[in-house]
Amino acid sequence: MAEPPRRVAVVDIGSNSARVVAYGLDGAGQLRILASSRAALRLVRDVDQENRLGDAAVARVVETLRDFRALALGAGAEQIVGVATAALRDAENGPALMERLRTELGFPVEVIEGEAEARYGFLGGVRGMPVEHGLLFDLGGGSLQVSRFFQRTLDRAWSLPLGALRLSQSFLGTDPPMEDELRRLRKHVRRALEEAGVPALGPGEEMVGTGGTVRNLAKIDARARRYPISRVHGYVLGRDAVRDVVATLASRRLEKRERIPGLSGERGDSIVGGAVAIETLMTVAGAAHVRVSGEGVREGLAYSLLEAGVPSAKEVRRRSVASLTARFAGWDASHAERRVAVADALWSVLAPAGDPETREALHHAARVLDMGRAVDFFDRHEHAADFVLASDLDGFTHRDIAMLALVIRSAGDDDADPALYSPLLGREDGDAVERAGVVLALADDLEERCPPGVPLALTCRLVEGGVVVEMPALLGWRPRGLGKRFARAFRRELLVKPGT
């Protein structure tokens, strides 16, 4: 049986735009982007007006895909897969264009049906999200895919002609749109969703959204809030926030709309229709918020070629951390494993009833701390925290990421302030972060005073007014300022007994 490729390129021809992304699968089983390019094609305009693609549109597609092929081969892709969605699916000359592309470019471009598009969108969109059950939508230029999932497994999918560009062109004829146009658009989307039988969210279910429109809405909202994490993947967009962004977008003429911070310039003419569709879907489904995924059809198709199934969110987090640390020359697996073991053992005794969120943050912080050494030893805590914030960690909420970064900072700075990551963290998180930061600092301090390569065993026990830690492998230790920090955080004196 042939080995699966390690590098693939996915060419995605959408109704509004086309993109190529070359991916590699790293040692931790995570996708790494090797190269990427995008082109605005606006194919749905031709299809909706003439039911076919004009000569100019066909020429744009061929020229764009020739460039995409060169980029993919330059990135070392062993396999190139092309998919086309709503516009080419609906164009009467779509099959002829597909054959021309196959002949001239040497790789297949297949028109995927709506349910297949929903399946790939689910696989890519849900995999990196910390969700178990709910609805995922993928809003493109020509169509809307909605998927229901349970225990991270696809249950059912719907494909509807409710794409952002299609709706904007069909219903919003004035600039800016009139209230009557917006009202008719909302009614149309609501009727289509209800007739298709798209269900409301049940208890414990969550809505996930992917596609360029929802990502742009998240960017607009984040810019307005001075949000502390720049990455849109994992951003939680409330329904009230969507309503406010829709009102802002719909009130401005195209020229001013395109200058709104966070909005990609080429989406100015389609964003209002798409935003109204998302707002209406959230209302119909009873979703208080949507968790935005930065991944979708392309990533789902890549994972389908490279890996089967959707791992648990916990496994995705583990792989994601392993993938991140492997990029840093200053990171050493043996030191990280020992530091994690010491931190886990200390926390089990010091905070046996502590919340799982803080415990997991401490666990990952102990593993990634040495990334900061790649820049500077003395400021390694600050650098490691910055890497966490800027990285593409999957499976974590944004609050998880902020907590992880602040625990790392707190280990090196006893004045680390949760307000750094407002609104994700607040003053109420201060005590938990301080304790986790002290434990991380102590685990790091103890681990680096033990001989390399020696497995570490320790006992930690509570005594009246104090904590006794015994480590046979520890060559020596003195409390310095760390002892005072420990006493403030846990209200107990710390006694460490090295080996003899």
Short mmCIF file of all heavy atoms in Angstrom, two decimals, residues 293-321:
data_model
loop_
_atom_site.label_atom_id
_atom_site.label_comp_id
_atom_site.label_asym_id
_atom_site.label_seq_id
_atom_site.Cartn_x
_atom_site.Cartn_y
_atom_site.Cartn_z
N SER A 293 -13.73 29.70 13.47
CA SER A 293 -12.63 28.82 13.10
C SER A 293 -11.85 29.44 11.95
O SER A 293 -12.43 29.92 10.98
CB SER A 293 -13.16 27.44 12.67
OG SER A 293 -12.09 26.62 12.21
N GLY A 294 -10.53 29.41 12.07
CA GLY A 294 -9.68 29.91 11.00
C GLY A 294 -9.41 28.87 9.95
O GLY A 294 -8.65 29.11 9.01
N GLU A 295 -10.01 27.70 10.08
CA GLU A 295 -9.80 26.60 9.14
C GLU A 295 -11.13 26.14 8.59
O GLU A 295 -12.17 26.34 9.21
CB GLU A 295 -9.06 25.46 9.85
CG GLU A 295 -7.71 25.89 10.39
CD GLU A 295 -7.01 24.81 11.21
OE1 GLU A 295 -7.70 23.90 11.71
OE2 GLU A 295 -5.78 24.87 11.34
N GLY A 296 -11.09 25.52 7.41
CA GLY A 296 -12.33 25.10 6.77
C GLY A 296 -12.12 24.04 5.72
O GLY A 296 -11.43 23.04 5.95
N VAL A 297 -12.71 24.26 4.54
CA VAL A 297 -12.70 23.25 3.48
C VAL A 297 -11.29 22.84 3.10
O VAL A 297 -10.99 21.64 2.95
CB VAL A 297 -13.46 23.77 2.24
CG1 VAL A 297 -13.26 22.83 1.05
CG2 VAL A 297 -14.95 23.89 2.54
N ARG A 298 -10.38 23.82 2.91
CA ARG A 298 -9.03 23.46 2.47
C ARG A 298 -8.32 22.58 3.49
O ARG A 298 -7.72 21.56 3.14
CB ARG A 298 -8.22 24.74 2.22
CG ARG A 298 -8.67 25.52 1.01
CD ARG A 298 -7.82 26.76 0.81
NE ARG A 298 -7.94 27.71 1.91
CZ ARG A 298 -8.91 28.62 2.01
NH1 ARG A 298 -9.83 28.70 1.07
NH2 ARG A 298 -8.96 29.45 3.03
N GLU A 299 -8.41 22.96 4.76
CA GLU A 299 -7.75 22.17 5.79
C GLU A 299 -8.43 20.80 5.92
O GLU A 299 -7.75 19.79 6.14
CB GLU A 299 -7.79 22.90 7.12
CG GLU A 299 -6.88 24.12 7.18
CD GLU A 299 -7.45 25.33 6.46
OE1 GLU A 299 -8.66 25.33 6.13
OE2 GLU A 299 -6.68 26.28 6.22
N GLY A 300 -9.76 20.78 5.80
CA GLY A 300 -10.46 19.50 5.87
C GLY A 300 -10.05 18.56 4.76
O GLY A 300 -9.84 17.36 4.99
N LEU A 301 -9.89 19.09 3.56
CA LEU A 301 -9.45 18.27 2.44
C LEU A 301 -8.02 17.79 2.66
O LEU A 301 -7.69 16.62 2.41
CB LEU A 301 -9.56 19.05 1.13
CG LEU A 301 -9.19 18.33 -0.16
CD1 LEU A 301 -9.95 17.02 -0.29
CD2 LEU A 301 -9.49 19.22 -1.35
N ALA A 302 -7.15 18.68 3.16
CA ALA A 302 -5.76 18.29 3.41
C ALA A 302 -5.69 17.18 4.46
O ALA A 302 -4.97 16.19 4.30
CB ALA A 302 -4.95 19.50 3.85
N TYR A 303 -6.44 17.35 5.54
CA TYR A 303 -6.43 16.31 6.58
C TYR A 303 -7.02 15.00 6.06
O TYR A 303 -6.60 13.92 6.48
CB TYR A 303 -7.19 16.78 7.81
CG TYR A 303 -6.33 17.54 8.80
CD1 TYR A 303 -6.62 18.86 9.14
CD2 TYR A 303 -5.23 16.93 9.41
CE1 TYR A 303 -5.83 19.56 10.05
CE2 TYR A 303 -4.44 17.63 10.32
CZ TYR A 303 -4.74 18.93 10.63
OH TYR A 303 -3.95 19.62 11.53
N SER A 304 -7.99 15.07 5.16
CA SER A 304 -8.56 13.84 4.61
C SER A 304 -7.54 13.08 3.78
O SER A 304 -7.61 11.85 3.67
CB SER A 304 -9.80 14.16 3.75
OG SER A 304 -9.43 14.74 2.51
N LEU A 305 -6.57 13.79 3.21
CA LEU A 305 -5.50 13.13 2.44
C LEU A 305 -4.38 12.64 3.35
O LEU A 305 -3.71 11.65 3.03
CB LEU A 305 -4.91 14.12 1.43
CG LEU A 305 -5.85 14.65 0.35
CD1 LEU A 305 -5.18 15.77 -0.44
CD2 LEU A 305 -6.27 13.51 -0.58
N LEU A 306 -4.17 13.31 4.48
CA LEU A 306 -3.00 13.03 5.32
C LEU A 306 -3.32 12.25 6.58
O LEU A 306 -2.46 11.60 7.14
CB LEU A 306 -2.34 14.36 5.72
CG LEU A 306 -1.81 15.22 4.57
CD1 LEU A 306 -1.47 16.62 5.06
CD2 LEU A 306 -0.59 14.58 3.93
N GLU A 307 -4.57 12.35 7.04
CA GLU A 307 -4.93 11.74 8.32
C GLU A 307 -6.43 11.48 8.33
O GLU A 307 -7.21 12.28 7.81
CB GLU A 307 -4.56 12.69 9.47
CG GLU A 307 -4.99 12.20 10.84
CD GLU A 307 -4.87 13.28 11.90
OE1 GLU A 307 -5.72 14.18 11.93
OE2 GLU A 307 -3.92 13.20 12.69
N ALA A 308 -6.83 10.39 8.96
CA ALA A 308 -8.25 10.06 9.04
C ALA A 308 -8.82 10.50 10.39
O ALA A 308 -8.14 10.44 11.40
CB ALA A 308 -8.44 8.55 8.87
N GLY A 309 -10.07 10.92 10.38
CA GLY A 309 -10.78 11.19 11.62
C GLY A 309 -10.52 12.54 12.23
O GLY A 309 -9.68 13.31 11.77
N VAL A 310 -11.29 12.83 13.29
CA VAL A 310 -11.16 14.07 14.05
C VAL A 310 -10.74 13.70 15.47
O VAL A 310 -11.53 13.13 16.21
CB VAL A 310 -12.49 14.86 14.09
CG1 VAL A 310 -12.33 16.13 14.91
CG2 VAL A 310 -12.94 15.19 12.67
N PRO A 311 -9.51 14.00 15.88
CA PRO A 311 -9.08 13.66 17.23
C PRO A 311 -9.87 14.43 18.28
O PRO A 311 -10.52 15.43 17.99
CB PRO A 311 -7.60 14.08 17.25
CG PRO A 311 -7.21 14.29 15.82
CD PRO A 311 -8.46 14.68 15.11
N SER A 312 -9.79 13.98 19.52
CA SER A 312 -10.42 14.70 20.61
C SER A 312 -9.75 16.06 20.77
O SER A 312 -8.61 16.27 20.36
CB SER A 312 -10.28 13.91 21.92
OG SER A 312 -8.92 13.88 22.34
N ALA A 313 -10.48 16.99 21.40
CA ALA A 313 -9.91 18.32 21.61
C ALA A 313 -8.66 18.24 22.48
O ALA A 313 -7.69 18.98 22.26
CB ALA A 313 -10.96 19.23 22.25
N LYS A 314 -8.66 17.36 23.46
CA LYS A 314 -7.48 17.20 24.32
C LYS A 314 -6.28 16.73 23.52
O LYS A 314 -5.16 17.21 23.71
CB LYS A 314 -7.79 16.21 25.45
CG LYS A 314 -6.64 16.03 26.44
CD LYS A 314 -7.03 15.10 27.57
CE LYS A 314 -5.89 14.93 28.57
NZ LYS A 314 -6.26 14.02 29.69
N GLU A 315 -6.50 15.77 22.61
CA GLU A 315 -5.41 15.28 21.78
C GLU A 315 -4.92 16.36 20.82
O GLU A 315 -3.71 16.48 20.56
CB GLU A 315 -5.86 14.04 21.01
CG GLU A 315 -4.88 13.51 19.97
CD GLU A 315 -3.54 13.04 20.55
OE1 GLU A 315 -3.43 12.90 21.79
OE2 GLU A 315 -2.62 12.83 19.76
N VAL A 316 -5.83 17.16 20.30
CA VAL A 316 -5.43 18.26 19.43
C VAL A 316 -4.56 19.25 20.19
O VAL A 316 -3.54 19.74 19.67
CB VAL A 316 -6.67 18.97 18.83
CG1 VAL A 316 -6.28 20.26 18.12
CG2 VAL A 316 -7.38 18.04 17.85
N ARG A 317 -4.93 19.55 21.43
CA ARG A 317 -4.10 20.46 22.23
C ARG A 317 -2.71 19.88 22.46
O ARG A 317 -1.71 20.60 22.37
CB ARG A 317 -4.79 20.75 23.58
CG ARG A 317 -6.03 21.60 23.48
CD ARG A 317 -6.47 22.15 24.82
NE ARG A 317 -6.91 21.13 25.75
CZ ARG A 317 -8.15 20.66 25.81
NH1 ARG A 317 -9.07 21.10 24.96
NH2 ARG A 317 -8.49 19.74 26.70
N ARG A 318 -2.65 18.60 22.77
CA ARG A 318 -1.34 17.96 22.99
C ARG A 318 -0.48 18.05 21.74
O ARG A 318 0.70 18.43 21.80
CB ARG A 318 -1.53 16.49 23.38
CG ARG A 318 -0.23 15.80 23.78
CD ARG A 318 -0.37 14.29 23.75
NE ARG A 318 -0.56 13.78 22.40
CZ ARG A 318 0.43 13.64 21.51
NH1 ARG A 318 1.67 13.99 21.81
NH2 ARG A 318 0.18 13.16 20.30
N ARG A 319 -1.05 17.71 20.60
CA ARG A 319 -0.29 17.76 19.34
C ARG A 319 0.13 19.19 19.02
O ARG A 319 1.23 19.42 18.51
CB ARG A 319 -1.15 17.21 18.19
CG ARG A 319 -1.46 15.74 18.26
CD ARG A 319 -2.13 15.32 16.96
NE ARG A 319 -2.71 14.00 17.02
CZ ARG A 319 -3.26 13.40 15.97
NH1 ARG A 319 -3.33 14.05 14.80
NH2 ARG A 319 -3.77 12.20 16.07
N SER A 320 -0.77 20.12 19.28
CA SER A 320 -0.49 21.51 18.94
C SER A 320 0.68 22.06 19.75
O SER A 320 1.56 22.75 19.22
CB SER A 320 -1.75 22.34 19.19
OG SER A 320 -1.64 23.62 18.65
N VAL A 321 0.72 21.72 21.05
CA VAL A 321 1.84 22.15 21.90
C VAL A 321 3.13 21.48 21.44
O VAL A 321 4.19 22.11 21.37
CB VAL A 321 1.54 21.84 23.38
CG1 VAL A 321 2.79 22.03 24.23
CG2 VAL A 321 0.42 22.73 23.88
#
